[in-house]
Amino acid sequence: MSNAPRLTALDALHRSLGATMTDFAGWDMPLRYASERDEHNAVRSKAGLFDLSHMGEITVTGPQAAALLDYALVGNIGGVATGRARYTMICREDGGILDDLIVYRLGDTEYMVVANASNAQIVLDALTERAEGFDAAVRDDRDAYALIAVQGPESPGILKSLTDADLDGLKYYAGLPGTVAGVPALIARTGYTGEDGFELFVEPRHAETLWRALTEAGAPVGLVPCGLSCRDTLRLEAGMPLYGHELTTSLTPFDAGLGRVVKFEKEGDFVGRKALEAAAERAATNPPRKLVGLVAQGRRVPRAGMAVVAGGHVVGEVTSGAPSPTLGKPLAIAYVDAALATPGTEGVGVDIRGTHEPYEVVALPFYKRQK
C-alpha cells in the first residue's frame, strides 16, 4: 500500500494556478490559491470555484435500495422523490455519528450517497455490511466522479451561460442530469458555504474541460478558484457542522442539535433506533451540553480543543474557530453546559493560552444570506 496522497483529476491544473496544496483525508487538495480572505469574500459577494473530488460517492441500486437505506441511515430515504436530495446521517448501534451524508435519489431504484472524504471507506463498509439480506447492491463509485462546485450569488448566472438545464426549476437539495459546457453532469443545488450554488458530478476525464469553461464564464463577474481554507471559514459562518469537529462517534445527532434528521416515524427498525430514542429523551429533558456560537469581543482567534470557561470553571470546548472575514471578528462553534447556552449569556470566555478571552453566546448560524 502506498502512503502517497491521492490526486484529483484537476491536480495539475491546481499546481499551474499556484495553489498551496495540503494533505486532506489522504488526498492532495488545494488549501488556497492566493488570499483565503479574498477567496472567502468572492464566494459571499460574487462566486467561487471548488474542486471537491475528494468526497466519497457510493451508489446503492436494486429493488430494495430504499429499504436498505431506511434501515442503514437515520433519515426517511424512501420518502425522497426522484431528483431530490436529503441531508442525513449514518450512526452506530449506540447512536454515535459515523458520518453526515447527502443522499440523492437518481431513479426509482438508484441512489447516490455522498460521504465525507475522511469517512468514505467507513461508510462504504457499513452500508455493505448492512445490505445483507436486502435485494440491493452497494457500489464504490469514488473513482467514477470528479466533483466541482460553483458557489456564490453569481453562480446561477454563470451556470446558465453554460447549460440549457432548467436551473430556475431546480430547488435547493435537488439534482438533475444535464450537460454543462458540453460535459454530461449531475447538476445538484447543494453546498456548504451558506450561499446559493451548485455541485457538478462529472466523469474525471471531463473535469478539466468543465473547470476551464466555468473559469472563463465566471471571469467577467469575479469568480475565483477557492481552496479548502475558505471553505472552512464559509461553513463556520453558516453554522454548518464539520465531521471530526462538531460531529463524532461519541456524539449522537441530538447532542449536535441535529435531532431533526432522525426520523422515528419511518416504518421498521433502523440501526441505532433504541439508543437514539434514549438520546432524544435526554436532549429534551436534561441535555449535558449544547452546541452554540461564540463571538469574540477581542481579536484573538479560538481554535478547536480550547476550553470554554465561566466563573473560573471549564464549561465547554471549542470545536471550530476562525477569524470571520464577513463579520470582522473571530468566531467559534462550541459545546457548552446547557445552563450557559442561551443566546446573550455573558461571562463566558475561551482559554487562549492561559488568558480567558471574553465571548458572547449567540444562536447559530452566524451568517444567513439574503434570499
Side-chain angles (χ1 to χ4, degrees), residues 163-175:
T163 183
D164 55 8
D166 178 18
L167 298 186
D168 291 334
L170 186 64
K171 296 185 173 76
Y172 187 52
Y173 266 73

Side-chain angles (χ1 to χ4, degrees), residues 13-357:
L13 187 59
H14 297 316
R15 290 170 196 281
S16 74
L17 293 170
T20 300
M21 306 296 286
T22 187
D23 184 338
F24 182 81
W27 290 82
D28 218 6
M29 298 297 295
L31 188 63
R32 72 183 73 80
Y33 295 85
S35 151
E36 52 210 42
R37 177 180 289 270
D38 290 349
E39 290 170 26
H40 178 111
N41 290 335
V43 175
R44 285 276 176 260
S45 61
K46 298 165 190 154
L49 191 58
F50 296 84
D51 178 9
L52 305 181
S53 302
H54 60 313
M55 300 295 280
E57 296 87 5
I58 300 161
T59 304
V60 180
T61 55
Q64 288 189 299
L68 161 59
L69 290 170
D70 276 338
Y71 167 71
L73 312 179
V74 301
N76 179 5
I77 307 304
V80 178
T82 299
R84 297 306 303 265
R86 183 146 302 165
Y87 176 76
T88 187
M89 294 184 186
I90 182 166
C91 289
R92 302 193 305 194
E93 199 65 69
D94 67 1
I97 303 165
L98 283 172
D99 201 13
D100 61 334
L101 311 164
I102 296 179
V103 179
Y104 296 89
R105 187 168 195 167
L106 304 181
D108 281 352
T109 59
E110 185 179 4
Y111 295 81
M112 181 168 67
V113 177
V114 181
N116 285 298
S118 54
N119 293 328
Q121 191 63 48
I122 292 165
V123 174
L124 179 67
D125 291 346
L127 286 175
T128 303
E129 191 182 310
R130 295 173 190 188
E132 198 176 325
F134 288 93
D135 187 1
V138 176
R139 186 174 73 231
D140 180 0
D141 268 348
R142 282 176 287 179
D143 292 336
Y145 292 103
L147 177 55
I148 294 173
V150 55
Q151 295 279 308
E154 297 286 356
S155 58
I158 293 167
L159 203 54
K160 273 181 192 171
S161 72
L162 297 172
T163 183
D164 55 8
D166 178 18
L167 298 186
D168 291 334
L170 186 64
K171 296 185 173 76
Y172 187 52
Y173 266 73
L176 87 169
T179 303
V180 182
V183 170
L186 171 67
I187 305 167
R189 197 168 208 154
T190 47
Y192 193 54
T193 61
E195 299 299 335
D196 191 11
F198 304 86
E199 297 190 329
L200 307 169
F201 296 86
V202 299
E203 287 181 46
R205 63 194 176 100
H206 295 315
E208 193 168 323
T209 301
L210 182 56
W211 180 281
R212 290 186 187 282
L214 287 162
T215 299
E216 197 176 323
V221 291
L223 173 136
V224 299
C226 293
L228 292 180
S229 189
C230 83
R231 184 170 155 86
D232 193 47
T233 52
L234 290 159
R235 72 91 195 165
L236 178 67
E237 290 181 350
M240 293 177 169
L242 175 63
Y243 195 88
H245 290 253
E246 289 71 43
L247 311 175
T248 68
T249 50
S250 62
L251 297 166
T252 74
F254 294 95
D255 296 322
L258 291 165
R260 64 182 180 275
V261 306
V262 182
K263 304 299 182 188
F264 293 123
E265 68 275 14
K266 65 179 173 176
E267 281 181 32
D269 195 17
F270 61 90
V271 176
R273 181 192 269 273
K274 276 202 168 54
L276 289 168
E277 283 170 347
E281 203 170 307
R282 264 197 322 275
T285 54
N286 189 24
R289 285 184 169 175
K290 287 189 169 178
L291 195 65
V292 299
L294 298 175
V295 177
Q297 288 167 25
R299 308 301 310 164
R300 295 181 78 190
V301 177
R303 296 297 181 195
M306 288 181 173
V308 180
V309 290
H313 299 285
V314 174
V315 296
E317 185 178 324
V318 171
T319 52
S320 295
S324 164
T326 307
L327 279 70
K329 297 174 180 178
L331 305 177
I333 299 178
Y335 282 101
V336 302
D337 290 355
L340 297 167
T342 309
T345 298
E346 292 180 347
V348 172
V350 174
D351 185 342
I352 301 181
R353 288 180 287 285
T355 307
H356 293 181
E357 298 287 337

